[in-house]
Amino acid sequence: MEGGTAIDGLTACAIIAKAIGSAAALLAMGGPLFVIAFRQAPATVLQMARQIAVAAAMIGIAVLAVRFGIRAARISGMGFAGAVDPMMLGFVWDSPLGTAAIWRMAGYLCVLGLMMPKRGGVAVSLIGAGLLAVSYTRVGHALSDPQMLLSALLVVHLLAVALWVAALLPLRRAASVPAGAALLHNFGVLASVTVPVLIIAGLGFAWIMAGSLWALFGTAYGLMLLAKVALVSILLMLAALNKWRLVPALARGLPEADKALRRAITLEVAIVGLILLATATLTSVTTPPIHL
Amino acid sequence: MKTSILAAAFALTATFVLAHAKPATMTPEDGSTVTAPEVIAIHFDAPMRVTAFTLTGPDGDIAVTRTVGMEPVTQFDAAPGSPLLPADYTVEWRGMSQDGHPMQGSFAFAVAD
């Protein structure tokens, strides 16, 4: 397959670390957005959103260090021993990954502001969300031409995705607390705007990377992208089921509605995990057709 | 709104267009049979920092002298420490393109009398 690289042990580690890093970054980015967007949510739900974002920021910092080591090992040709080679680590630091790491580290530290009791902490964490989103424009495929457009599309895509991903577990909690139905309804209203935005921004980015419709079917990048789009389609169907069937059923107090909704959201979480794996693979071992 | 301000602020600081580099030509060519080459070369279409380069013959790895250090280059040359005897040889390289992606590749050639 044109534009694909064989996946060895180190590359597999790199993909898994990248997927975990993306999950951490999305949760850390989305937590502050959720807390600001749904200030009226039940206190236990907001508390959960804050705790997840803070934990994600801490995990994200650790994964960042691990990814540095894995990348050094990959370019060293020395196997895992290369992960601590000072010269290779220096090259990684000098590369765009080093630049992105500075933005990302600053972002994670700001997100930890959610631990502060005052409102100022939320404002700081919002800045953190922005820094995290920008960090992704400082490395990888967003550095291609047209860089400004790609970066803008990526920031919008990531912030919208982050709000959705970070909301999943708090919404699952909301399904079993009084007044939770109102929050779930409000989230559905907001998502009816943010989800189309994330789809349009994501497809715009992918369209520029692919260059043509034919490239989707003839290249490794295209096929991974199609796999990702297929998973996102399943996620959208589940989200639609939640919005139009399960959330109204919960609001009407129908029996078993909360259980069905929690199950559906759990499934959404699992699919998001698969999408992150597909995305990590897409951006690690395939070359966008515009670069072939 | 915050997003658009952020995107606009970033757009103003946009710097270089970086992309994956990939090998355009290799000397000797992949799969070719040649007389003992004095230099093994890889030409990249964009600067590549070649971090590892291994030439392997029938008796294992062969020492080579790189003509460039670890700086990003479009033309990478390495000379075998001693003339290559007739046999099959494999070249494996690893590097990092300017957008930070780890890259790797390999090619093989045969030396005939």
Side-chain angles (χ1 to χ4, degrees), chain A residues 158-170:
Chain A
L158 285 176
L159 290 175
V161 171
L163 176 62
W164 189 357
V165 171
L168 288 174
L169 290 177

Side-chain angles (χ1 to χ4, degrees), chain A residues 27-49:
Chain A
L27 291 171
M29 260 188 275
L33 299 177
F34 182 87
V35 169
I36 281 287
F38 302 103
R39 286 184 295 275
Q40 313 302 330
T44 56
V45 174
L46 284 178
Q47 178 70 5
M48 186 183 199

Side-chain angles (χ1 to χ4, degrees), chain A residues 240-265:
Chain A
L241 174 77
N242 289 350
K243 181 171 162 49
W244 284 305
R245 296 286 293 276
L246 300 181
V247 171
L250 183 75
R252 287 200 301 274
L254 296 185
E256 303 290 312
D258 56 335
K259 276 186 193 154
L261 189 55
R262 281 206 303 274
R263 266 200 305 274
I265 296 176

Side-chain angles (χ1 to χ4, degrees), chain A residues 128-247:
Chain A
L131 292 172
L132 284 168
V134 171
S135 78
Y136 279 89
T137 68
R138 312 273 59 195
V139 67
H141 298 163
L143 293 175
S144 310
D145 207 20
Q147 193 180 2
M148 282 184 272
L149 176 61
L150 285 170
S151 299
L153 288 172
L154 188 58
V155 166
V156 170
H157 179 72
L158 285 176
L159 290 175
V161 171
L163 176 62
W164 189 357
V165 171
L168 288 174
L169 290 177
L171 290 179
R172 191 172 176 278
R173 165 72 62 87
S176 44
V177 300
L183 170 64
L184 283 152
H185 171 76
N186 291 340
F187 179 80
V189 172
L190 181 62
S192 61
V193 176
T194 59
V195 170
V197 166
L198 83 84
I199 292 172
I200 291 166
L203 286 180
F205 190 99
W207 178 258
I208 295 170
M209 283 290 116
S212 74
L213 205 57
W214 167 247
L216 289 180
F217 300 96
T219 63
Y221 183 91
L223 287 181
M224 276 312 297
L225 185 60
L226 287 177
K228 179 178 177 180
V229 169
L231 286 166
V232 172
S233 305
I234 297 172
L235 189 62
L236 287 174
M237 283 188 270
L238 260 177
L241 174 77
N242 289 350
K243 181 171 162 49
W244 284 305
R245 296 286 293 276
L246 300 181
V247 171

Side-chain angles (χ1 to χ4, degrees), chain B residues 58-82:
Chain B
D59 300 321
D61 291 353
I62 297 164
V64 294
T65 307
R66 298 166 59 126
T67 55
V68 291
M70 294 279 194
E71 67 272 20
V73 292
T74 52
Q75 179 70 33
F76 178 88
D77 295 327
S82 54

Side-chain angles (χ1 to χ4, degrees), chain B:
Chain B
M1 189 60 193
K2 279 195 178 66
T3 303
S4 28
I5 292 171
L6 202 63
F10 168 73
L12 293 174
T13 67
T15 48
F16 304 105
V17 174
L18 306 175
H20 292 296
K22 57 184 181 296
T25 55
M26 290 153 303
T27 312
E29 281 181 36
D30 187 26
S32 63
T33 300
V34 295
T35 53
E38 291 182 5
V39 170
I40 294 161
I42 309 173
H43 183 77
F44 297 97
D45 64 354
M48 173 81 74
R49 193 193 289 277
V50 179
T51 48
F53 181 93
T54 318
L55 171 64
T56 310
D59 300 321
D61 291 353
I62 297 164
V64 294
T65 307
R66 298 166 59 126
T67 55
V68 291
M70 294 279 194
E71 67 272 20
V73 292
T74 52
Q75 179 70 33
F76 178 88
D77 295 327
S82 54
L84 298 182
L85 300 173
D88 292 334
Y89 294 89
T90 308
V91 172
E92 286 190 34
W93 63 269
R94 284 169 187 264
M96 184 183 265
S97 63
Q98 279 197 299
D99 64 359
H101 271 280
M103 308 293 277
Q104 64 186 84
S106 63
F107 60 98
F109 62 91
V111 172
D113 285 325

